[in-house]
Each structure stands twice: as C-alpha cells, then as structure tokens.
Amino acid sequence: MSIDISARFSGLTLSSCLFNASGPRCTSSGELLELYNSKAGAVLSKSATPGFRVGNPKPRYFENQFGSLNSMGLPNEGIESYISIAAQLSNKAYIVSIAGLSKSDNMQMLRRLQKSGQAVDAVELNLSCPNVPGKAQIGYDFDSTKALLEEVFQVFDGKLGVKLPPYFDMIHFEQMAAILKAFPIAFVTCVNSIGNALIVDAESESVVIRPKSGFGGLGGDYLKPTGLANVRQFYKRLPGIPVIGVGGVKTGLDAFEYILCGATAIQVGSQLMREGIDCFERIAFELKTLMKTKGYKKLSQFRGKLKDG
Ligand code: DHB
C-alpha cells in the first residue's frame, strides 16, 4: 500500500504520525525501548520530575468500555534516566515530557536538558497534570503559564512544545492561544485527560481508584470529542504551530478524524495501555486502508480540511 502516513514537524521526521501519549507504558527504560522497537513514529517519555517518584497508592488506574480514569501521581524515574536513555533511541524522534511540581523544578530540568545538547530531540512541557494532591494544573492559570513560558525560553533554546489541559470555553481557547503565540513554541499537544473526574461502582458503592478520594483524569472514548474540539480550536488559532492530537484514539478512523481537525501527529494513550505496542501497527493499517478507500495518498491532502462552514 503506497499510502504515506509520515509526519514532519519542528524539524522532526516521523515515519508514522502515530506515537505514544506520555503516561502509559513509557516510564521504564524497558518500556521506552519497546516503544522504540515498535511501529510508533516517535518515542515520548513519561512526564519527568527532577528525581525518582513512586507516585500515588494503588489502585490508581481504572478502565471500562468507555475509557480510563487515572491518578498515577507522576511515578517516574527522574530526568537523568530519561536523558541517559536517549543514546539508545537515536534512530527515532525521542521527546521527553517534563512535569515539575513547581516552576523551579521545571527550570532545573530545562537547564539540565539544555546542557545535554542534542541528546533529546524535543521536550513536551506538561502544563496539565491533574493528579498531584495540592498542585493545580498550571494550564488553567493563564498568568502562571505566561510567566513560566517567559522563563522557559530564557534558558532553553531546543524544540519545546506544550501539553495542554482540555479547555471548554471559547474565551479560554482565545486567551491561551494569545499567550502561546508570543513564544517560539515547537508544537502544542491537545489534550491531557479531563481532570478530576469521578467514576462510581454502584455494586460496591465505591470509587474505583484509591488516590484523591477517587478523583482522577478521564481518558479514552469519554475524552475524544473534547480532544477533537481542542485540536480544531488551536489549529485554527495558531497557524504555523503544529498541533498534536490526543484523546480517545483507538482506531484508524479516530486518527483520521483528528487529522481532519488539523492534527499533524497523533498520540495514543488509553488504547496503548489496553492493547500494548501492537496498537501502532494496527491503527496505522486501519488509517491507510481508510485513506485508500477515500483516495488519499498522504495526510496533507486532508489535514485540517474538516468542512465546518
Ligand atoms: C500524571 C497524569 C497526567 O495526566 C499527567 O499529565 C502527568 C502525570 C500522573 O498522574 O502521573
């Protein structure tokens, strides 16, 4: 099938537009190597903090037929581990996600990444972790986001994208887009989970995950319409900045819808957790099959071209 689903953005070349969302199956070196050896078009790390974290108590991940609820609490190996593995991931785009618990944590990691030179191909700055008790999602605080980005670009001159929380109001899309426009952002990833959702098990009359009284980030099918909306909004408001779509991608059809909305590349979260790394080959095959049926040979023929007039 001579159908091209490659993606290029910010100087990165991905043989497939599909890769992992930060979160599932990308925490340990072993998991990152598995992603590297899979059909994923890039490798993205679990969000790093300056040091190792065990994360929240278990159970901290739940799934049902509609999606997932998680409150992992940033379990990760620490930034050094995600920098040192880069040498073993050199033939694929390797992106490190960072999610400091404070501005100074983020600045410390960015100075370290800056010093590491070209080890890492890009950084995804996570502005949207909902699961650390007592810590707000910075992406919902527009002034703090702006202040952070001002400092970020003073110390880091590599490729840096931001991972945004989902927004639900037109004024918020407008305000966040206005902030992002003022910086040399390499890409925008939309969206993180819907934070602080609650799933109830009626039989046991209980919450389904243990941390934060059961409140956690909602992903999967529950998230897809919100993800599509956020991709569409930022695609239209940030011309020239690539948007990476994430939220409820299970099939080639889901990926096609994200690209129609304007996504340059697509991340897979809940479905990667459920299915494992074989999801990348399957979804790629489904996307190519759909494109063939529709007479498309490459993504640029329909990217952003959702009929919405
Ligand atoms: C976690 C969850 C997120 O949605 C995120 O962006 C970062 C970290 C977590 O709970 O580990």
Side-chain angles (χ1 to χ4, degrees):
M1 219 172 1
S2 68
I3 307 275
D4 178 4
I5 59 161
S6 69
R8 263 164 291 279
F9 61 94
S10 335
L12 308 179
T13 301
L14 282 61
S15 60
S16 164
C17 62
L18 300 159
F19 64 108
N20 68 291
S22 181
R25 301 182 189 272
C26 59
T27 300
S28 68
S29 304
E31 288 172 326
L32 292 167
L33 288 166
E34 276 195 25
L35 286 166
Y36 182 68
N37 291 315
S38 78
K39 299 284 186 195
V43 177
L44 173 58
S45 78
K46 171 70 183 169
S47 289
T49 51
F52 169 87
R53 282 174 59 90
V54 288
N56 290 340
K58 295 176 182 173
R60 57 194 187 182
Y61 189 90
F62 171 86
E63 63 175 20
N64 62 23
Q65 63 181 308
F66 306 115
S68 64
L69 186 73
N70 86 84
S71 183
M72 308 303 288
L74 276 168
N76 79 97
E77 312 264 309
I79 189 69
E80 288 307 325
S81 166
Y82 298 118
I83 292 174
S84 61
I85 195 160
Q88 293 174 70
L89 307 174
S90 54
N91 286 326
K92 231 177 221 189
Y94 175 48
I95 307 170
V96 167
S97 168
I98 62 169
L101 301 189
S102 63
K103 186 157 78 173
S104 76
D105 273 9
N106 279 322
M107 298 314 296
Q108 183 188 334
M109 289 189 281
L110 285 168
R111 278 192 289 269
R112 180 64 189 88
L113 286 157
Q114 177 70 22
K115 222 175 66 186
S116 76
Q118 308 290 336
V120 157
D121 296 304
V123 172
E124 186 180 86
L125 173 63
N126 188 347
L127 300 177
S128 45
C129 174
N131 297 337
V132 180
K135 297 285 174 185
Q137 294 166 80
I138 190 169
Y140 287 141
D141 180 337
F142 296 89
D143 293 339
S144 298
T145 296
K146 188 165 175 234
L148 174 62
L149 291 176
E150 270 159 9
E151 286 198 33
V152 161
F153 288 105
Q154 279 169 25
V155 309
F156 189 73
D157 68 3
K159 292 160 193 160
L160 182 134
V162 291
K163 171 87 170 271
L164 297 177
Y167 299 101
F168 303 94
D169 198 294
M170 293 301 169
I171 192 76
H172 294 154
F173 293 122
E174 196 174 308
Q175 289 171 343
M176 183 49 65
I179 290 168
L180 297 175
K181 258 185 191 166
F183 297 97
I185 303 268
F187 59 88
V188 173
T189 304
C190 299
V191 290
N192 209 317
S193 54
I194 294 173
N196 297 300
L198 192 60
I199 292 178
V200 168
D201 180 59
E203 204 224 299
S204 63
E205 304 180 9
S206 173
V207 298
V208 296
I209 55 174
R210 185 162 160 218
K212 287 181 70 179
S213 305
F215 288 81
L218 193 62
D221 295 355
Y222 290 120
L223 182 59
K224 196 179 102 176
T226 298
L228 291 171
N230 277 257
V231 166
R232 187 70 178 155
Q233 284 286 337
F234 286 103
Y235 173 78
K236 288 192 161 184
R237 291 171 189 276
L238 297 173
I241 301 185
V243 179
I244 300 176
V246 48
V249 174
K250 292 201 294 199
T251 66
L253 180 63
D254 297 324
F256 182 83
E257 292 177 12
Y258 268 96
I259 296 160
L260 267 184
C261 288
T264 291
I266 288 147
Q267 298 175 351
V268 185
S270 300
Q271 186 61 26
L272 167 60
M273 187 68 176
R274 178 186 289 238
E275 183 178 349
I277 53 171
D278 290 348
C279 70
F280 297 109
E281 188 167 13
R282 177 186 58 76
I283 298 171
F285 177 78
E286 291 170 1
L287 175 59
K288 287 182 189 176
T289 305
L290 178 61
M291 285 169 63
K292 194 173 175 194
T293 310
K294 286 177 168 277
Y296 293 127
K297 287 195 154 61
K298 52 185 184 177
L299 305 181
S300 58
Q301 291 174 316
F302 59 96
R303 177 176 294 124
K305 295 193 173 146
L306 180 68
K307 294 171 193 156
D308 61 1

